[in-house]
Each structure stands twice: as C-alpha cells, then as structure tokens.
Amino acid sequence: MGKRGPKRKPTAILKLHGSRAVEQRKGEPIPPSGRPRCPSFVDDYAKQAWKQLIPQLEEMGVLAKIDRNALVRYCQTWSRWRNCVEFINQNGETYPLRDNDGNVKCLQQWPQVGIYNKLADSLLRLEVQFGLTPSARAGLTVQKKQQSNDQAARFFGGGA
C-alpha cells in the first residue's frame, strides 16, 4: 500500500508560500537549475511547445534539468491534443450512423473527441505541476533574475 494522505509539497514551494513548515524539513534534494535539452525524437508540434515553454519556465524561475522527462511528456501530450483539435476542426465532433436504407439512425462521437478530453485532463495535471495555470501560480513568489534589456549596458559590462 502506498503512502496515505495528500502528497507533500516540496520545500521550495512551501518556502514560496511563506510556510513555517520549512524549518522542520531537512535533507530534501535540490535539483540543479538549468535548461534541459529537447530530445530529437519529439515531433514538430512538441518541439514548438518546447521552444515556447522552456524560456517561460526559465523566466518564472521554476526550471530544472531534471524536469526534462516531465516536459517531454507535456510537449508530446500537447502535440497529440493538437492533432485531435485539428481532426475535430476538420470533421466535427460527430458523424452519422445510418441504417441499411441509408437513413440516419443517430450521431456517433468520433474517437478523437474522447482522446481530446483525456489528453486535456492530462495536460491540466501537468500544467499545474509546472505552475502554468493562474490558480497554480496563486500565492507563489519566486526570485527573478535581474535582466537588463539595455544593449549599451550589456556591451559595457553593466548588464546580464
């Protein structure tokens, strides 16, 4: 039998919430931050999602190299969801079932509609894990890196 009760929040998240429980936690692993590489086996939609998502997570200060596999799953799930969206946009959500005389008996939902719904649920669970929804970000505060957009300051050594 697995552990009971709600999943423990990582200490970093508790710290962001200002929880006093942080003082009681010791020895929790802290993964090194950094940008994971996009694997070559993902399809074009997944690569597009990766290129959009990674800089945003990095800017939010929640990206670590160890997140690669979860990010790959998110991007691949996004790609499959997007394929379902395209199919539904092209074919609609239902198709007619006909009797032997060619009369429409009823409308049947395409399998892609059910797949679309399951993938949307999976995407939402992953988005919450990465703080990609407004409610997931509520109450979180992270230390942002100081960035200078002034090119002259960067050239003369005053910027990032």
Side-chain angles (χ1 to χ4, degrees):
M1 184 193 278
K3 294 182 179 182
R4 293 184 176 183
K7 293 180 184 178
R8 286 183 73 175
K9 284 188 180 181
T11 303
I13 299 295
L14 288 176
K15 194 180 290 185
L16 294 174
H17 283 275
S19 172
R20 287 182 238 138
V22 172
E23 299 159 5
Q24 300 168 356
R25 299 258 181 108
K26 291 181 178 46
E28 184 174 326
I30 300 170
S33 63
R35 184 181 280 221
R37 290 186 189 213
C38 182
S40 60
F41 63 82
V42 299
D43 63 21
D44 289 340
Y45 283 148
K47 285 179 184 170
Q48 287 174 3
W50 185 279
K51 287 177 185 174
Q52 177 189 6
L53 187 60
I54 295 298
Q56 292 173 352
L57 291 173
E58 205 168 37
E59 188 174 327
M60 285 173 54
V62 296
L63 186 63
K65 287 185 178 183
I66 199 164
D67 296 330
R68 181 177 188 247
N69 291 343
L71 289 166
V72 169
R73 281 193 307 275
Y74 175 81
C75 292
Q76 284 290 93
T77 302
W78 168 263
S79 175
R80 291 181 62 216
W81 178 83
R82 180 139 178 215
N83 286 331
C84 288
V85 168
E86 289 179 356
F87 180 90
I88 293 167
N89 286 344
Q90 186 175 19
N91 299 292
E93 294 183 2
T94 59
Y95 61 96
L97 285 179
R98 301 183 185 276
D99 62 16
N100 292 339
D101 297 327
N103 298 321
V104 175
K105 295 190 307 183
C106 64
L107 294 176
Q108 177 69 39
Q109 178 177 282
W110 288 105
Q112 286 81 351
V113 174
I115 295 167
Y116 165 91
N117 289 327
K118 287 180 181 178
L119 291 171
D121 288 341
S122 294
L123 284 170
L124 180 59
R125 282 193 306 276
L126 286 164
E127 288 164 351
V128 167
Q129 292 293 317
F130 286 105
L132 298 177
T133 66
S135 62
R137 289 188 301 273
L140 293 181
T141 55
V142 294
Q143 295 287 346
K144 289 193 176 185
K145 296 177 186 173
Q146 294 262 338
Q147 292 183 345
S148 173
N149 292 330
D150 184 2
Q151 289 185 352
R154 276 190 257 165
F155 179 76
F156 293 111

